[in-house]
Amino acid sequence: MSASQSPSCTSPRELFAVLAAGATLLLVVHALGRFIYTPLLPYLISDGQIDPQQGASIATWNYLGYLVGAMLAIRWHRIDHIRWLLPLSLTVHVLTTLLQTQLDQASAIATSRWVNGVANGVVFVQAPALILEWLVRRNRASLSGLVYLGVGLGLLVSSVLVTFSADWLTGADRWWPAALVSIPLAWWGTARLLQLDVPVRSGDDQDAHPRPTALLDRASVPLFLSYAGAGLGYILPMTFLPLVATIQLPAGHWLVDGAWLLVALATLPAAFIWNHFGAKFGDLPAIRANFGIQLLGVLAAVIWPGPVGIVLCALLVGGTFLGTVLLTQRIGRALHPHQGPRLSAALVALYGFTQMVGPWLTKQWLDFGGTLDSAFWIGVVALLWGLVFTVLVPRPEDWHSRPAS
């Protein structure tokens, strides 16, 4: 019997290697491909390569690409699809990141960032999906969330790369550290995951027990609406916080670079903390606390401009946004256990769409004469919206025990 057929044959070392490979790929595409733009943005603006409006527009194009990539991953979701689309997407990520080192025109940068976003969306859906299939066959599905630790570690890596190279690189050259680090990590992570023994028809068992329930109902609609608020609310500080620091603080202040470092440090333990909180007190109480803390973080940046607000925003948002993803996905599956993959895909697409809307709304606000600081009120309202709708989500046990209509 092969290791894929016998869970007991899977060693802790092999489990660690697979989870590390998945975390590495998320680090590459989501941190070095996507979120490294956040600490780079103030430098790209000060270098004169782009202005704040162009910066917001470029971020919007990248998030639109992420949405398209997530939709592609939903369309080509089978294991045989993943085996060719995953390495293709990692190759596209590496090539577009290398291309960033040669581009100076805002329109060309936006196009490259859109393509990079497509690759990010595909990998962010497909790498965890492939690992989950592999873990399920070993009765280790509960470990799948550890893959997202790569995002937290990646934020720390991106902060170090930008800060380390800040004084000796300028303009498009600032992308070189991310490009060079991505190449070996993408190669190793992809090669390791393509070795996984996962049958091509591993998802067929799900089709043997169809459940014709609606994806949207009185239980899931409030959850979708709350998740929309989460995506719009968190993406503003995760895109513009270092730039806000350059606006609110004197030149050379440690928080110009340090704000993103604080976000990264707060993100590192987030998956463990919110997983434990949800397991101990329930996912619904946990998600409501999560929204409340995240709301306070974004609010702090606008009512306490300066070091206090920036530090609080970095710590509170950095320490919660991964928990929002983890808890929402679990609550969704608990409400509709037979809609797992479909529900998860729909939530990913919705999250991607609202993240795209955030920078677009910010650009509109700036074009109308608003300030970047005040644009954070959009995030405050969005998270308040999300918090209200979490209160309307029923407990899964109550939902399943309701009288049949």
Side-chain angles (χ1 to χ4, degrees):
M1 182 178 290
S2 69
S4 64
Q5 295 171 311
S6 177
S8 61
C9 294
T10 305
S11 66
R13 181 177 179 179
E14 185 177 7
L15 287 169
F16 174 81
V18 172
L19 290 169
T24 297
L25 292 188
L26 296 192
L27 182 158
V28 167
V29 298
H30 216 58
L32 300 183
R34 183 182 194 179
F35 280 130
I36 198 170
Y37 180 73
T38 302
L40 280 176
L41 184 56
Y43 290 106
L44 299 178
I45 291 173
S46 66
D47 293 341
Q49 188 184 42
I50 56 177
D51 60 34
Q53 286 88 344
Q54 290 172 328
S57 178
I58 289 168
T60 301
W61 280 105
N62 182 248
Y63 299 156
L64 175 60
Y66 176 79
L67 173 61
V68 172
M71 298 300 291
L72 290 176
I74 295 168
R75 170 61 181 83
W76 287 291
H77 64 278
R78 298 203 318 260
I79 299 301
D80 54 333
H81 296 153
I82 294 174
R83 291 195 186 281
W84 65 264
L85 191 53
L86 184 65
L88 175 62
S89 299
L90 266 300
T91 301
V92 169
H93 161 80
V94 169
L95 292 177
T96 51
T97 308
L98 284 169
L99 183 62
Q100 286 292 141
T101 68
Q102 306 301 312
L103 300 178
D104 283 314
Q105 295 297 321
S107 58
I109 295 171
T111 301
S112 176
R113 295 297 291 158
W114 180 83
V115 177
N116 187 273
V118 174
N120 178 11
V122 171
V123 176
F124 199 77
V125 174
Q126 288 194 342
L130 180 63
I131 291 172
L132 179 59
E133 289 293 331
W134 185 81
L135 290 171
V136 164
R137 292 174 58 81
R138 288 152 179 77
N139 297 322
R140 298 289 195 277
S142 61
L143 299 176
S144 61
L146 298 179
V147 171
Y148 296 98
L149 291 172
V151 178
L153 181 60
L155 298 186
L156 183 61
V157 172
S158 68
S159 176
V160 171
L161 289 178
V162 172
T163 302
F164 175 73
S165 61
D167 294 334
W168 51 279
L169 294 177
T170 185
D173 287 342
R174 294 188 184 277
W175 287 96
W176 273 112
L180 294 177
V181 171
S182 289
I183 293 171
L185 294 182
W187 177 83
W188 177 79
T190 303
R192 187 65 185 83
L193 291 193
L194 291 182
Q195 295 173 8
L196 295 183
D197 180 16
V198 181
V200 170
R201 296 184 177 273
S202 61
D204 287 356
D205 291 341
Q206 297 173 356
D207 299 328
H209 304 283
R211 182 72 172 256
T213 56
L215 180 64
L216 299 176
D217 55 25
R218 287 185 290 108
S220 62
V221 165
L223 186 67
F224 274 90
L225 291 174
S226 71
Y227 206 44
L232 178 55
Y234 103 98
I235 201 60
L236 293 175
M238 291 297 289
T239 304
F240 299 114
L241 187 60
L243 186 55
V244 168
T246 65
I247 295 171
Q248 295 183 350
L249 302 174
H253 195 284
W254 72 272
L255 278 173
V256 172
D257 288 324
W260 191 246
L261 177 61
L262 291 178
V263 171
L265 292 174
T267 302
L268 282 176
F272 287 113
I273 291 172
W274 290 106
N275 183 73
H276 176 74
F277 192 16
K280 185 172 182 179
F281 299 104
D283 287 341
L284 276 175
I287 195 71
R288 291 161 188 162
N290 179 283
F291 268 89
I293 294 170
Q294 200 166 170
L295 171 61
L296 291 176
V298 181
L299 186 62
V302 291
I303 64 175
W304 290 312
V308 173
I310 291 171
V311 168
L312 286 175
C313 184
L315 293 177
L316 297 183
V317 175
T320 51
F321 80 91
L322 281 181
T324 313
V325 175
L326 182 157
L327 293 167
T328 301
Q329 293 280 351
R330 282 211 313 228
I331 293 167
R333 289 189 178 96
L335 288 170
H336 291 297
H338 299 283
Q339 293 267 22
R342 186 174 170 221
L343 183 67
S344 177
L347 287 169
V348 167
L350 175 64
Y351 207 54
F353 173 75
T354 54
Q355 290 174 75
M356 178 191 69
V357 169
W360 180 82
L361 286 176
T362 301
K363 182 179 183 299
Q364 305 313 306
W365 181 249
L366 294 175
D367 288 344
F368 277 109
T371 65
L372 190 59
D373 313 53
S374 60
F376 272 42
W377 280 109
I378 299 171
V380 172
V381 173
L383 288 167
L384 182 60
W385 163 286
L387 177 59
V388 169
F389 278 102
T390 63
V391 178
L392 301 179
V393 178
R395 293 194 310 164
E397 53 269 33
D398 293 341
W399 176 250
H400 294 302
S401 63
R402 73 193 189 285
S405 57

